[in-house]
Amino acid sequence: MRKQRLFLLAIALLLIALSWWGVAAARSGLVVRSIRHNGVPMLYIAPQPSGKIPGVLIAHGFAGSKQLMLGYGQVLAHAGYAAMLWDFGGHGANPAPLEGFSLQKDLDIATAALLEQPEVDSTRLALLGHSMGSGAVMSAGIRDRNRFAATVAISPTGAAVTPFAPRNLQLQAGSWEGGFVNNAQQLLKKAGEENNNLSQGRGRKLVIVPNVEHITILFSDASHQAARRWLDATFGVQNNSNYVDRRMVWYGLHLLAWLILLAAIAPSLTLHSTQHEARVLPIKSYFGLLLAPLLASSVLPLISRVANIQNLGGLMVGGALGIWFFVAGTIWLIILLRVPRPTILAIGIGLLFFAILWMAFGAIAQIVWLQWWLIPARLKLVPLLSIACFPWFLASGISQQNADPVKRVAWWLLETTMLIGGLLLVLSLLPQLGFIFLVLPLFPPIMAILSFAASQVKETWSYAIGSAIFFGWTIASAFPLAA
């Protein structure tokens, strides 16, 4: 290695160590316990023992997990609350299927587990939930009005709220998630309009969190602190906590460090490459990228006539997404006509490339925001999803080969635009796959990461293999398991 690359490698390793230290430091002064009750995996977070304290149940949304709600758990725990987070059926590390009454069942199991913790005052309990989880906590607050003193519903769906139940209802919605803002406004009307009569359980408040949408609201300090202040007012808690959850900053630093590491070692990996490039006319690459998503989007409605499109492959929505990538990628490859020959070296580099992406994106995510370690029911889906994604990334790698940095940025913009446009077309034809709309903001950063990786890993097959396995793993980790 040249001195420049050795320097980059040293910087990358230093930043990786620093990011792990930053995430670990955020847990300083907290009790953290992993619990499993009746098959439901849970995570309990509380301040170091200091007498009896209020308990809060924190519920995630569709395609979420207990990790995705850790921001609220960390902020509340540092502020003197005991927080219990869990995975609903079919989500995260919970292998049970998501069924009609499983949300309330899982919430009741989490409640029982919370009450067993020695720090929790059983007379002071509250609820907090996001999206799908908001409906579950509002329903629980209505059903057990005398048990739960407050309910915080973030990006709320629906529930039979009244001016009396649930007690002390705070509604939150991001300014960029219009439909949920409307839901929150309608719920507020049914709940009796805004007031601060918390002592009698009649408190009502709507908080519009600025400049966030359905996912980024979960990492917003404005949302975290609004929930904390509402619970403080409900329980009469006075605290001096100034904790701000910055774990996602450390996560971003960790991701950046691994990309720097990739840039440092990639020249050595590809130095002895023997790839035979498949030269294609640029017009074919662009024509394929423009046409393939449109054709793939028209194929999914045909599949929906003979199969349950929502639960393909045992994965809610995610299986349909994998089929879309397979169809679009295959059409794109047919248009290109030329595919490079794989080599043993290229395949080996591709597997190493996946390992680097896996560490960069997910190693620290497991304790920050994403259930990255897959349970067996999810792990067995990775090979099939990786194969489904492979044609797209092979076609993308062929089209990007030998591109300069400016062209790669332009290609990333076009590829991301066509991906989002094609999936929006799918949603117009198949509204039952509507959850895809909420994850569309994740595509630009993920594709940017892979585009940068393509500029470092010169082997088309290496890029395609590593990216396909990584993308297949991501789909398997994020979407709920079907019955």
Side-chain angles (χ1 to χ4, degrees):
M1 282 189 178
R2 293 179 298 178
K3 290 183 179 180
Q4 182 180 7
R5 288 194 279 122
L6 284 172
F7 176 74
L8 286 177
L9 181 60
I11 291 295
L13 294 174
L14 177 63
L15 292 179
I16 290 170
L18 183 63
S19 60
W20 279 99
W21 171 84
V23 170
R27 290 190 172 191
S28 177
L30 300 181
V31 173
V32 181
R33 302 183 189 124
S34 293
I35 302 169
R36 182 176 288 269
H37 273 217
N38 296 330
V40 178
M42 290 174 263
L43 190 66
Y44 173 76
I45 311 174
Q48 295 288 353
S50 57
K52 292 290 187 177
I53 56 177
V56 186
L57 293 154
I58 300 178
H60 64 79
F62 184 84
S65 65
K66 56 187 179 298
Q67 283 88 345
L68 194 56
M69 303 299 290
L70 272 170
Y72 298 95
Q74 296 269 140
V75 167
L76 292 174
H78 279 286
Y81 294 87
M84 183 67 78
L85 306 89
W86 69 97
D87 291 330
F88 282 119
H91 291 75
N94 192 335
L98 178 65
E99 296 176 336
F101 298 100
S102 63
L103 295 184
Q104 291 302 319
K105 177 183 175 183
D106 291 343
L107 190 151
D108 290 342
I109 292 171
T111 303
L114 178 65
L115 293 173
E116 291 177 4
Q117 306 310 309
E119 299 88 355
V120 176
D121 180 352
S122 62
T123 66
R124 293 188 292 168
L125 299 179
L127 299 153
L128 183 151
H130 173 246
S131 193
M132 177 185 75
S134 74
V137 299
M138 284 189 289
S139 296
I142 294 167
R143 182 189 61 183
D144 294 328
R145 184 181 183 279
N146 294 327
R147 166 174 276 184
F148 300 109
T151 298
V152 179
I154 300 158
S155 304
T157 50
V161 300
T162 72
F164 305 96
R167 293 163 65 194
N168 297 332
L169 174 64
Q170 183 191 76
L171 301 158
Q172 292 189 24
S175 61
W176 295 346
E177 53 173 354
F180 291 95
V181 173
N182 293 335
N183 286 348
Q185 291 169 339
Q186 293 301 315
L187 285 166
L188 183 63
K189 288 181 180 179
K190 295 178 182 178
E193 302 297 342
E194 290 197 2
N195 71 79
N196 292 315
N197 191 4
L198 280 78
S199 61
Q200 297 182 10
R202 299 285 298 277
R204 299 288 185 265
K205 188 174 183 62
L206 171 59
V207 178
I208 303 299
V209 183
N211 306 321
V212 294
E213 41 72 54
H214 198 67
I215 296 175
T216 51
I217 192 173
L218 300 177
F219 308 110
S220 166
D221 185 59
S223 175
H224 299 161
Q225 301 304 330
R228 179 185 66 82
R229 288 191 295 270
W230 188 252
L231 297 183
D232 285 350
T234 296
F235 295 114
V237 171
Q238 295 183 354
N239 63 72
N240 298 317
S241 173
N242 58 1
Y243 175 80
V244 175
D245 187 50
R246 296 191 176 92
R247 293 169 310 116
M248 285 301 290
V249 175
W250 294 111
Y251 172 80
L253 184 65
H254 181 267
L255 179 57
L256 174 64
W258 276 95
L259 294 178
I260 294 173
L261 185 146
L262 176 62
I265 67 173
S268 296
L269 295 177
T270 59
L271 183 63
H272 303 293
S273 169
T274 58
Q275 172 180 298
H276 299 284
E277 293 184 355
R279 299 184 182 279
V280 297
L281 294 174
I283 188 63
K284 287 187 175 182
S285 297
Y286 289 111
F287 181 67
L289 178 57
L290 294 172
L291 183 61
L294 301 178
L295 293 179
S297 299
S298 65
V299 169
L300 286 189
L302 299 177
I303 296 175
S304 70
R305 296 179 181 180
V306 297
N308 183 353
I309 197 72
Q310 289 179 279
N311 296 334
L312 285 177
L315 202 62
M316 291 183 178
V317 182
L321 185 62
I323 292 294
W324 187 90
F325 270 93
F326 178 78
V327 174
T330 301
I331 292 171
W332 193 358
L333 284 176
I334 291 172
I335 292 172
L336 292 177
L337 287 177
R338 299 289 299 276
V339 176
R341 296 199 307 268
T343 65
I344 298 298
L345 177 61
I347 294 172
I349 292 173
L351 295 175
L352 178 59
F353 176 42
F354 162 69
I356 292 173
L357 289 175
W358 191 95
M359 291 293 296
F361 190 84
I364 203 171
Q366 178 71 22
I367 56 173
V368 175
W369 72 283
L370 179 66
Q371 177 70 42
W372 193 244
W373 290 93
L374 300 186
I375 59 176
R378 294 184 179 277
L379 190 60
K380 69 181 183 182
L381 298 175
V382 173
L384 187 60
L385 289 168
S386 301
I387 292 170
C389 294
F390 179 76
W392 177 275
F393 288 106
L394 182 59
S396 178
I398 294 170
S399 300
Q400 291 184 68
Q401 63 186 11
N402 299 323
D404 60 39
V406 173
K407 288 182 178 179
R408 286 194 183 276
V409 172
W411 184 264
W412 164 71
L413 287 171
L414 180 60
E415 185 175 5
T416 302
T417 300
M418 291 310 301
L419 269 175
I420 293 176
L423 292 173
L424 287 174
L425 178 58
V426 169
L427 298 183
S428 69
L429 299 172
L430 297 170
Q432 61 267 44
L433 300 179
F435 180 76
I436 290 177
F437 179 79
L438 301 178
V439 299
L440 289 181
L442 296 177
F443 279 94
I446 290 177
M447 299 310 293
I449 291 169
L450 295 179
S451 183
F452 172 81
S455 69
Q456 304 301 312
V457 180
K458 307 300 183 182
E459 294 276 3
T460 298
W461 274 83
S462 300
Y463 166 76
I465 290 171
S467 298
I469 301 175
F470 166 75
F471 210 79
W473 188 288
T474 303
I475 294 174
S477 70
F479 291 91
L481 296 168

